[in-house]
Amino acid sequence: MGSLGTEAKLPWSETPCVFSPQMSRVAGCNIYLKLDNLQPSGSFKSRGIGNLMTRAVAAAPGDVHFYCVSGGNAGLACATSAVALRRPATIVIPMTTSNLMKNKLLDLGVEVHQTGKNLAAADEYLRTELLPKDPTAVYVPPFDHPHVWDGASTIVPELRSQMDVPMDAIVCSVGGGGLFNGLMQGIESYPWSGNKPDVVCVETAGADSLNASLRANAHVTLPEITSIATSLGCSRVSAESWKWIQYPNTHSLVVSDADAAISCVRFADDARHLVEISCGAALATVYRGDLRERLGRGLTDGEWADKNIVLIVCGGSGVTLGILDQYRAEYGSQTSIKA
């Protein structure tokens, strides 16, 4: 059982990169959308978690059973990857996980345990009650593992092959840092004819552990998560992310929950894609005007108009039309972004 088998397939796929006329007009430069919301799980996490699981199956002397603790997207990535690899999976979710996400997991046929008041408590249950009883168990971390970063890094060669113009910057949302780590790893692995692309890391206020570390000039832990963007709700970014953010081509931005939420509403109209608020954080940099302010200082309007910037549409499955309507009603008056 050490190989993937003839009926198994890779748990992630190459995703399109498309030019967005609507967002380009708003930003004043060329905006491209890397649509990782089209991954099998609905988010970029299919890449990293899928890569880790694929490698675990290939290395296993016998059967493997995957275990993951998640509030949503990491669990969906584990579940869809397990289906692709034809292996069993158990997902442990805390009591705070929505029925929407729980039912999506159950629909994939994986075993779901719901316990604990938060992710830490659910993880403790998994480690003490489940893992020790299963000799075939493989623990699937959501973001902090080299194989996860390797999987996320596959975005960079795809972009290099898809874009026929220089890539000046990549914008991504940051939670624990798995996507950011992969992007930086991918960028550093290639020679670039001009400058390396800048990477803009975006968090929501109240889940901004990377930005807080920069402000403190030390790798710090947030005392609590107060943002509604729970997919970004990591109180401490990975040590690898703290290392990468020291590089000169990186930037850190923080947006409000309202900005991220209304950006999802606006994006549904502009791009016809539904994404959750964690993805809306990166999108907000266009709608708020942050990109020109951060990346275009000192440039003329014409010079800025020639810049090519990629937004990683990281996706997320915790969204419905009803949720977007709620965002519009609750947050529309709290942001300058027009929904």
Side-chain angles (χ1 to χ4, degrees), residues 241-316:
S241 301
W242 176 234
K243 180 194 86 171
W244 283 124
I245 200 64
Q246 314 296 324
Y247 276 57
N249 62 326
T250 62
H251 308 263
S252 172
L253 291 173
V254 178
V255 303
S256 68
D257 280 348
D259 290 339
I262 296 303
S263 292
C264 294
V265 177
R266 176 80 175 268
F267 189 68
D269 288 336
D270 286 347
R272 301 180 303 282
H273 288 278
L274 298 189
V275 296
E276 67 177 44
I277 191 170
S278 55
C279 181
L283 304 176
T285 61
V286 169
Y287 295 125
R288 290 182 2 148
D290 293 298
L291 294 184
R292 177 71 187 267
E293 182 182 328
R294 184 57 62 100
L295 300 175
R297 289 175 185 166
L299 299 181
T300 66
D301 288 348
E303 290 169 333
W304 175 245
D306 288 337
K307 294 297 181 183
N308 305 300
I309 298 177
V310 177
L311 299 188
I312 305 297
V313 183
C314 56

Side-chain angles (χ1 to χ4, degrees), residues 33-91:
L33 306 174
K34 181 59 170 162
L35 297 174
D36 250 39
N37 57 312
L38 301 180
Q39 290 291 352
S41 67
S43 85
F44 76 99
K45 286 186 176 290
S46 286
R47 292 181 187 266
I49 286 175
N51 181 59
L52 181 142
M53 292 171 61
T54 299
R55 292 177 66 139
V57 169
D63 286 334
V64 297
H65 186 127
F66 293 105
Y67 290 83
C68 181
V69 173
S70 171
N73 291 312
L76 282 171
C78 179
T80 55
S81 297
V83 171
L85 296 169
R86 303 179 66 81
R87 300 296 191 276
T90 297
I91 315 298

Side-chain angles (χ1 to χ4, degrees), residues 67 124-137:
Y67 290 83
E124 177 71 13
Y125 169 82
L126 185 152
R127 291 177 182 274
T128 58
E129 298 296 324
L130 300 180
L131 291 183
K133 299 174 183 177
D134 187 349
T136 69

